[in-house]
Amino acid sequence: QVQLVESGGGLVQAGGSLRLSCAASGRTFSSYFMGWFRQAPGKEREFVAAIRSGGSTYYADSVKGRFTISRDNAKNTVYLQMNSLMPEDTAVYYCAARVTGRELTHFRGSPDYYNYWGQGTQVTVSS
């Protein structure tokens, strides 16, 4: 089993920045396909960003140019740097991992693609 633990959430004013981290267990983290999702109250869980084992990145249109996903395989950690935050970014942010199989990047935006999930961390952006 893979364990994922998010941290770094909090309260920030619009225009500010926040950096989320997700620490993962496992000796083969470098091969994991990692993603970030978010869910606002009353809304569906939506794709935010993903990163392949080789480092290729993908972003939702709503965050492209503002958010950056990265990974440090030596630390078994994936990051989400969030800049120019807006009130509409307010949500619980979840880290997700797909551990098995080929990296089918066409499915990266679907929660069903991922095998494991963290507990979530709250991000609140005030206006």
Side-chain angles (χ1 to χ4, degrees), residues 27-107:
R27 54 182 287 274
T28 58
F29 172 80
S30 62
S31 69
Y32 298 173
F33 187 97
M34 302 295 298
W36 286 97
F37 288 74
R38 66 187 183 186
Q39 188 165 23
K43 304 293 185 180
E44 295 287 322
R45 187 169 298 189
E46 68 170 344
F47 171 76
V48 175
I51 185 166
R52 296 183 64 177
S53 59
S56 298
T57 58
Y58 308 88
Y59 298 94
D61 289 342
S62 59
V63 307
K64 197 169 187 178
R66 299 188 298 121
F67 291 9
T68 303
I69 188 171
S70 62
R71 66 194 299 158
D72 186 339
N73 290 335
K75 296 181 178 179
N76 274 29
T77 301
V78 64
Y79 303 95
L80 185 68
Q81 178 66 47
M82 304 184 293
N83 298 328
S84 301
L85 283 162
M86 306 174 182
E88 48 264 49
D89 295 318
T90 295
V92 176
Y93 283 70
Y94 297 92
C95 176
R98 182 175 175 86
V99 176
T100 60
R102 290 174 292 179
E103 294 180 327
L104 304 175
T105 58
H106 287 344
F107 301 152

